[in-house]
Amino acid sequence: MRHNSLSFRLWLTIAIAVVPLLLFALLDYQERRAEAVASIHTEISHRLADANREIRAAHRVVVLVLEIMARSDELRDADPERCTGIARRLLGSVQGFANIGAVRPDGSVFCSAEPAAASINVADRAWFRAALGGHGITAGEFIVGRISGKPGLVFGYPLATEAGEVRAVLFASITQGWFERLIQDFNLPREWEASVISATGHVLAHHPDVSRWRDHVVPADALEQMTQVMRTETGIAQFAGLDGMLRLYGVSTPDFAPDSGFLTIGAPLDRSLDAVDHRFQLHLSLIAGLALVSALLARFYIYRLVEVWALRVRDAVARIASGSPGTRVGYDTGVSELDELSAGVDGMAVEIEKREGELRRLSMVIEQSPESIVITDTDAQILYVNDAFRRTTGYAHDEVVGRNPRVLNTGLTPKATYQDMWSTLGRGEVWRGEFHNTRKDGSTYLELATIAPIKDAAGVVTHYVAVKEDITQRKQSEALLHRLAYYDALTELPNRALLHDRIAQAVRNSSRKEVWGMLMLVDIDRFRQLNDTLGHAAGDQLLRTVARRLRSGVREEDTVARHGDDDFAVLIEQIGGTEAEALAHAEHVARKLQRVLEAPYVLGGDESERHFATLSIGVSLFFDGESSLDTLLKQAEVALYRAKQDGRNTVRFFSPEMQAVVDAHARMEARLHEALAEEAFRLFFQPLVDRHGRVTGAEALLRWPQDDGRMVSPAEFIPLAEDTGHIIPLGMWVLRTACAQLAVWQSDERTHPLCISVNVSARQFHQADFVASVREVVMRAGIDPSRLKLELTESAILADLDETVIRMNQLRSLGIQFALDDFGTGYSSLSYLKRLPFAQLKIDQSFIRDMAQDEGSEAIVLAVLSMSHALGLEVVAEGVETPAQRDFLRQHGCEFYQGYLFGKPMPIEAWGDFLEMA
């Protein structure tokens, strides 16, 4: 129990209240004990006095006996016999005497009531010497008789002549029994003790249990203790008796035998004090009981009223101090002062909780902040860093605390930055800037820092806090975004956006400096075919190689950019002060680049496999600043388009005539868009016949009639639809219309067996929803899918062969048939024919037309027929226009034909008459 605890002080208060009562009881006890002891002293003194009176009475008997003997006539002549006779008569008449006799002056015993075995001399006895020099009875001497051989008390009595000369000494010896009877006559209370002890320590008599102590000798130290007690004023003291029991003893010596022995009477002190002790114990028990009851009541009351409350307050304060500010005392004592204090503690806890919540949130914000936070003193010694700082720098907390933040500076940050920082902070202002710092592992990073001075209430700066953000990734991302926004990822050349910005700037510079510039568009001829046959990886490698060659073929300040998928732009400024100079310089640059680009390309890992690519170049010049960006680009595109029209692999400069063609192209695109919206297109059907001339079906061909009745050639608008993306809705219109017509034919018994072939462009086939769209059209039309045949070109199937196989098999599972159109004109391969589920091959009409004059065409036709038979594929010969062509094909096993010999493409309205004629 702590000395300053409430419980200790409560018990101390109770103790203080009880102590006076205890002191009073103790004083009363001591007083009563002293009275009891005094009473015992008095009783012992009385007992000793009574004992001495008894002894004196006995002594008078001895004196009387000796005086009787002294007056006796038998002793006048000291006759031994006569003397012995009277001594025996006297010994027989009294009790307690051991012997009576007489001694001559020389100490020899001549008279004895008890016979002696030999002559006895007692000259050495004290009683004898005392009698020789005295006039009356001597003091007794405790001795062991030389005649009786027993202890006893001997008295001497001188018998003198008239002249005063001692003629004999009478003696009387008292036995132990006499002393024992004397002690018994004391009538001592129970457990009292009385003893008669000689000076030599022999116990002459003892009460009680006399037989036990007869012949017992008391130790010398006990005799000395008795002597000391006897010399005291009272002659009473407490010591252990012969039986070892502690008593209060009175010690004296018999009056008739001084210095010859001891008379002791002992009272049991504990028995004598029992009543006092019992009374004291009763008082003490009563006081203790009252104190205990009072203490318990006070303890219970204090516990309920104060201690429980104090414990709750203590525990609440301890929990609040240990970090649990939500703790409340919440205990109603009914004592206003205590309840007010409880409310104060609860209010304090609420305020602490509120402040700790704010501090916790602030601490969490600081510690968990994604940005590094550093706190330093005014000497720039680091006091705190958060976790973001440790993650960013790689330094542990203990490695930087106490150090200067320049541990991160390895000289990459300019000194001017630090000068500006300290100048700003010295003015008490917030500084913001960038540091080029170094991590613990040696790597560098760029950091955006905001450093603010922290001031106390007096406005004195006490600390600095720095919030730092690692902007390395942001800078890299900005650079990457800038590169992604303005540079092509594949070739690392400026992209279209950056090109346009540089063209606009070049046009302005040209006008201001009055010099000519040129814009050149370079397009890779037949790049799509190369991509389809050799794969996209080869196409990408070709683009990168062309980009490197273009970059190496011009000046450092010139711009080479990727303008589209397979075309590049070259922007060159200051090519001449006059138009003639500019033309000559532009042509020189174009020819130079053409030569650079004509070199073979290695598109695979094998150096021996080389690819030759041709490039078409269109050039537009600018000078006066009036040419807009769009105008200049269109002019270069027109020149490029003319280069492709003129056979590719050539250079063309823009002219006004070229612009007229471009304008016509734009007008057709607008009309195509309107025709789609108005569904102005029509389907014509060209018959498909077997070797016997029977019509087995038709190919659906798209036609675009004009208001004046003329038809726009498919060779004009189909490529345009491909370029603009209109081919996708246009192709779906053709498919829906053809399926609707097939449904009509299947409802008529005469036309039920006929099938319809529909051309599908590569762009349409590779749409993500193409399979689902075809399935929906077929289901809505309600046709037999086996009568629908989709014609694909090699360019459609080779773009992604694996995806093509999946899509064709999905449609084939519906029953739809597939035909490979224009076979032999591209990069025909037996490998994909084996993988793809084609049912039919269509020999391109160019081979049919030329086979009579060209042996190569004839050989190709025969090879296709032979291969198809081997693969189990049907063959359709397109463009059969003469009987000779038909007969040749029939002779070599061709089963199906299509061409003007059997029927031109015709609208559906003319098919009724055609079928009647067929």
Side-chain angles (χ1 to χ4, degrees):
M1 185 182 297
R2 298 193 306 271
H3 295 312
N4 58 352
S5 67
L6 182 62
S7 295
F8 175 80
R9 295 181 180 182
L10 170 63
W11 288 112
L12 181 62
T13 302
I14 295 172
I16 292 173
V18 171
V19 162
L21 295 177
L22 291 176
L23 289 176
F24 174 78
L26 181 60
L27 291 174
D28 179 68
Y29 167 74
Q30 290 177 340
E31 182 180 355
R32 292 184 179 276
R33 183 181 177 87
E35 290 176 354
V37 171
S39 176
I40 295 172
H41 274 233
T42 302
E43 186 173 358
I44 291 173
S45 298
H46 290 165
R47 293 286 180 179
L48 285 174
D50 292 343
N52 280 315
R53 281 194 296 273
E54 291 291 332
I55 291 173
R56 284 194 294 271
H59 185 261
R60 286 193 296 271
V61 172
V62 173
V63 173
L64 178 62
V65 169
L66 290 177
E67 285 180 349
I68 291 172
M69 188 175 178
R71 294 189 185 101
S72 174
D73 293 335
E74 283 81 356
L75 291 179
R76 288 182 180 179
D77 55 359
D79 180 58
E81 290 182 1
R82 293 176 64 188
C83 179
T84 300
I86 192 171
R88 287 178 178 172
R89 287 193 299 272
L90 287 174
L91 181 65
S93 64
V94 293
Q95 292 182 347
F97 282 72
N99 197 8
I100 298 174
V103 181
R104 290 185 176 90
D106 60 357
S108 61
V109 177
F110 68 95
C111 175
S112 174
E114 292 290 336
S119 60
I120 302 298
N121 192 293
V122 294
D124 59 330
R125 298 292 193 181
W127 60 267
F128 175 75
R129 292 193 300 271
L132 290 177
H135 299 285
I137 192 168
T138 65
E141 180 183 3
F142 290 104
I143 59 173
V144 176
R146 291 173 179 169
I147 297 174
S148 65
K150 296 179 180 179
L153 181 65
V154 181
F155 296 90
Y157 187 87
L159 186 61
T161 65
E162 292 179 357
E165 180 182 356
V166 176
R167 58 187 181 90
V169 175
L170 303 180
F171 69 88
S173 174
I174 300 175
T175 65
Q176 275 185 292
W178 183 82
F179 288 105
E180 291 171 357
R181 286 192 299 274
L182 177 66
I183 290 177
Q184 289 175 357
D185 291 340
F186 290 168
N187 295 321
L188 297 176
R190 186 170 174 270
E191 294 189 3
W192 279 57
E193 184 192 57
S195 299
V196 177
I197 304 170
S198 70
T200 60
H202 288 85
V203 177
L204 303 178
H206 185 273
H207 173 83
D209 198 5
V210 63
S211 61
R212 175 185 174 188
W213 302 103
R214 186 176 290 130
D215 299 329
H216 181 76
V217 179
V218 178
D221 57 344
L223 294 176
E224 177 63 24
Q225 185 179 22
M226 293 178 187
T227 303
Q228 297 297 329
V229 172
M230 192 171 58
R231 291 174 180 172
T232 62
E233 181 180 355
T234 62
I236 299 174
Q238 186 174 346
F239 56 87
L242 299 182
D243 58 359
M245 183 176 177
L246 194 66
R247 293 180 178 86
L248 191 63
Y249 284 92
V251 182
S252 68
T253 185
D255 292 342
F256 53 78
D259 300 326
S260 296
F262 303 94
L263 172 62
T264 66
I265 297 178
L269 190 60
D270 52 348
R271 287 261 180 201
S272 304
L273 298 178
D274 278 349
V276 177
D277 290 344
H278 180 70
R279 178 185 177 87
F280 175 71
Q281 290 171 0
L282 182 63
H283 288 179
L284 190 63
S285 299
L286 181 60
I287 293 172
L290 290 174
L292 181 60
V293 171
S294 301
L296 291 176
L297 290 175
R299 182 75 175 84
F300 178 74
Y301 180 73
I302 294 297
Y303 178 79
R304 292 195 58 190
L305 181 64
V306 178
E307 189 168 354
V308 171
W309 171 84
L311 289 174
R312 291 181 65 92
V313 171
R314 184 194 67 185
D315 293 343
V317 172
R319 287 196 294 271
I320 292 170
S322 64
S324 300
T327 306
R328 301 291 183 270
V329 176
Y331 183 71
D332 186 9
T333 63
V335 180
S336 59
E337 292 85 352
L338 300 182
D339 291 341
E340 288 175 3
L341 185 56
S342 298
V345 173
D346 290 344
M348 176 188 69
V350 171
E351 188 64 26
I352 291 175
E353 184 177 22
K354 179 180 177 182
R355 294 188 180 183
E356 279 201 358
E358 295 174 354
L359 289 175
R360 192 181 306 110
R361 287 191 294 273
L362 179 60
S363 177
M364 290 173 62
V365 167
I366 293 175
E367 187 61 29
Q368 299 179 18
S369 171
E371 299 179 352
S372 299
I373 296 178
V374 181
I375 299 176
T376 71
D377 57 18
T378 53
D379 295 328
Q381 301 301 309
I382 296 176
L383 302 177
Y384 168 83
V385 294
N386 68 347
D387 191 56
F389 176 90
R390 298 190 286 272
R391 290 195 306 269
T392 300
T393 65
Y395 284 99
H397 179 273
D398 295 338
E399 292 178 315
V400 293
V401 170
R403 301 179 67 182
N404 193 288
R406 60 172 167 263
V407 68
L408 305 174
N409 177 25
T410 54
L412 300 177
T413 303
K415 291 183 179 180
T417 301
Y418 292 104
Q419 293 172 352
D420 177 62
M421 177 191 74
W422 285 115
S423 175
T424 303
L425 295 177
R427 296 192 300 270
E429 299 174 358
V430 177
W431 180 85
R432 183 180 178 87
E434 294 181 0
F435 294 124
H436 293 267
N437 284 337
T438 304
R439 297 184 179 89
K440 183 180 179 180
D441 61 7
S443 60
T444 60
Y445 65 102
L446 187 62
E447 190 173 59
L448 178 63
T450 301
I451 304 177
I454 305 300
K455 302 176 182 179
D456 59 15
V460 178
V461 176
T462 60
H463 298 83
Y464 295 106
V465 59
V467 180
K468 301 181 176 185
E469 179 185 3
D470 183 355
I471 60 173
T472 307
Q473 189 173 2
R474 182 201 300 175
K475 290 291 186 179
Q476 293 173 348
S477 299
E478 290 175 355
L480 178 60
L481 289 174
H482 180 270
R483 189 160 192 83
L484 291 175
Y486 294 104
Y487 286 86
D488 175 58
L490 178 64
T491 62
E492 298 184 355
L493 295 177
N495 62 8
R496 185 191 297 267
L498 184 55
L499 173 66
H500 290 181
D501 181 71
R502 292 187 179 179
I503 289 175
Q505 184 178 352
V507 171
R508 291 192 297 271
N509 291 341
S510 175
S511 175
R512 186 175 65 255
K513 297 179 180 179
E514 296 184 352
V515 292
W516 287 77
M518 64 178 288
L519 175 63
M520 180 188 304
L521 295 183
V522 181
D523 183 83
I524 302 175
D525 297 331
R526 298 186 179 86
F527 179 75
R528 184 172 299 177
Q529 286 185 348
L530 180 140
N531 231 3
D532 294 341
T533 54
L534 298 183
H536 290 285
D540 291 346
Q541 189 172 356
L542 177 61
L543 290 171
R544 287 193 292 267
T545 306
V546 170
R548 285 196 298 270
R549 292 184 183 182
L550 287 174
R551 183 69 265 175
S552 64
V554 296
R555 299 171 302 184
E556 185 66 29
E557 63 269 21
D558 298 332
T559 298
V560 177
R562 188 176 180 187
H563 185 251
D565 291 341
D566 57 356
D567 59 286
F568 299 87
V570 179
L571 177 64
I572 302 177
E573 298 183 60
Q574 300 181 17
I575 60 173
T578 64
E579 185 176 6
E581 291 178 357
L583 282 171
H585 193 166
E587 186 171 4
H588 170 74
V589 172
R591 299 303 177 189
K592 175 185 175 183
L593 292 179
Q594 197 173 28
R595 289 191 299 271
V596 170
L597 298 174
E598 284 176 350
Y601 297 86
V602 178
L603 302 182
D606 192 351
E607 292 280 343
S608 62
E609 294 185 5
R610 301 193 173 199
H611 178 79
F612 290 89
T614 61
L615 294 97
S616 300
I617 301 175
V619 182
S620 177
L621 303 179
F622 56 90
F623 171 73
D624 55 8
E626 294 180 359
S627 300
S628 66
L629 172 64
D630 293 338
T631 300
L632 191 57
L633 284 171
K634 284 184 178 180
Q635 290 175 353
E637 288 172 355
V638 168
L640 177 61
Y641 182 73
R642 176 54 62 87
K644 287 186 171 292
Q645 281 188 329
D646 291 348
R648 298 184 174 87
N649 195 26
T650 187
V651 179
R652 290 292 181 266
F653 286 80
F654 174 77
S655 65
E657 293 79 11
M658 294 180 184
Q659 186 64 49
V661 175
V662 172
D663 293 342
H665 188 275
R667 288 193 296 271
M668 180 175 286
E669 182 179 351
R671 287 167 52 205
L672 179 63
H673 185 74
E674 293 173 359
L676 273 172
E678 297 172 359
E679 295 187 353
F681 297 96
R682 295 192 62 189
L683 275 188
F684 278 43
F685 299 88
Q686 187 173 20
L688 178 68
V689 301
D690 60 13
R691 61 185 298 121
H692 303 294
R694 292 189 299 266
V695 178
T696 60
E699 179 181 1
L701 299 172
L702 186 61
R703 294 294 182 264
W704 184 8
Q706 301 295 302
D707 294 338
D708 56 4
R710 293 185 304 106
M711 293 287 184
V712 179
S713 171
E716 294 182 14
F717 74 83
I718 292 297
L720 180 61
E722 290 273 5
D723 292 340
T724 59
H726 290 132
I727 193 65
I728 296 173
L730 194 56
M732 290 306 300
W733 180 86
V734 171
L735 182 62
R736 287 194 298 270
T737 305
C739 287
Q741 184 57 49
L742 187 58
V744 174
W745 281 355
Q746 290 179 359
S747 65
D748 189 335
E749 185 177 351
R750 295 177 304 165
T751 56
H752 186 273
L754 299 180
C755 63
I756 293 181
S757 299
V758 177
N759 291 284
V760 178
S761 72
R763 193 164 184 177
Q764 181 183 4
F765 180 77
H766 289 291
Q767 291 298 305
D769 61 345
F770 176 71
V771 174
S773 299
V774 173
R775 183 186 294 112
E776 182 182 1
V777 170
V778 170
M779 291 179 64
R780 286 192 175 185
I783 63 171
D784 178 4
S786 64
R787 297 298 176 182
L788 177 62
K789 190 175 296 179
L790 302 182
E791 295 188 6
L792 304 175
T793 62
E794 292 181 38
S795 61
I797 63 177
L798 292 178
D800 189 341
L801 189 58
D802 293 335
E803 183 65 25
T804 297
V805 171
I806 294 173
R807 293 191 177 202
M808 290 181 68
N809 284 327
Q810 289 174 341
L811 293 173
R812 189 71 185 84
S813 66
L814 300 177
I816 297 173
Q817 304 291 317
F818 286 96
L820 181 57
D821 197 13
D822 299 335
F823 184 73
T825 59
Y827 298 90
S828 302
S829 172
L830 294 178
S831 62
Y832 69 74
L833 284 178
K834 290 170 64 179
R835 293 183 59 189
L836 299 173
F838 282 112
Q840 192 178 77
L841 294 182
K842 301 185 77 171
I843 303 176
D844 188 70
Q845 62 181 340
S846 62
F847 298 114
I848 303 299
R849 184 178 59 248
D850 297 337
M851 65 182 180
Q853 295 84 21
D854 182 27
E855 293 181 358
S857 296
E858 181 181 333
I860 290 173
V861 171
L862 295 176
V864 171
L865 289 171
S866 176
M867 177 193 67
S868 299
H869 292 156
L871 295 175
L873 299 176
E874 295 178 354
V875 178
V876 177
E878 292 184 306
V880 179
E881 297 181 355
T882 65
Q885 293 172 343
R886 179 197 59 193
D887 294 342
F888 179 83
L889 293 168
R890 184 186 297 170
Q891 180 182 353
H892 290 87
C894 184
E895 297 295 331
F896 297 97
Y897 311 93
Q898 184 179 342
Y900 281 7
L901 178 62
F902 308 104
K904 295 181 178 181
M906 62 191 75
I908 194 62
E909 294 83 5
W911 261 79
D913 295 338
F914 171 76
L915 291 176
E916 290 292 337
M917 293 175 59

